[in-house]
Amino acid sequence: QVQLVESGGGLVQPGGSLRLSCAASGRIFSIDGMGWYRQAPGKQRELVARITSGGSTRYADSVKGRFTISRDNAKNTVYLQMNDLKPEDTAVYYCNALVREVDGKNDYWGQGTQVTVSS
């Protein structure tokens, strides 16, 4: 079994910054794609950003130029640097990882961390 533990959420004023972290632990052989998703009240979960094991990235149009995803493969950790935050970025942010284990690939989610952008 693999666990994803997120940290770094909180309350920030518009224009501010936050950095989210997500560390994977457990019986991990390797990790393919990792990503961040978010879900605002009354809305569906949506992709924010993803990064491959080789470092290729893709972003939602709404966060391009403001958010940066990165990962440390040695630590099995993915980060999301969020700058110039807007009220519409308010949501629960979830980490996702496609993990190679002994029995094959499995998809895991973190428990979520709340990000609130408000003055």
Side-chain angles (χ1 to χ4, degrees):
Q1 192 70 8
V2 173
Q3 296 80 38
L4 301 182
V5 178
E6 299 134 336
S7 61
L11 172 64
V12 64
Q13 292 187 342
S17 298
L18 284 174
R19 189 191 194 212
L20 306 182
S21 300
C22 171
S25 62
R27 302 182 71 175
I28 298 169
F29 180 71
S30 65
I31 302 178
D32 289 350
M34 302 185 81
W36 290 95
Y37 293 73
R38 66 187 181 187
Q39 188 167 17
K43 295 188 177 181
Q44 289 188 330
R45 189 174 297 189
E46 63 176 2
L47 170 71
V48 177
R50 285 197 69 84
I51 185 168
T52 68
S53 58
S56 296
T57 59
R58 63 185 175 105
Y59 296 90
D61 287 343
S62 59
V63 307
K64 283 180 181 177
R66 300 188 298 122
F67 291 10
T68 302
I69 190 170
S70 61
R71 63 189 283 175
D72 184 331
N73 290 332
K75 296 181 179 179
N76 291 328
T77 299
V78 63
Y79 306 96
L80 185 68
Q81 177 66 43
M82 304 185 292
N83 297 328
D84 190 23
L85 282 159
K86 305 176 185 298
E88 52 264 40
D89 294 318
T90 296
V92 177
Y93 284 69
Y94 297 91
C95 172
N96 171 262
L98 184 59
V99 179
R100 290 178 183 266
E101 299 178 83
V102 173
D103 62 346
K105 288 185 184 180
N106 294 295
D107 201 41
Y108 289 94
W109 292 88
Q111 79 285 357
T113 185
Q114 177 70 46
V115 171
T116 302
V117 184
S118 175
S119 55

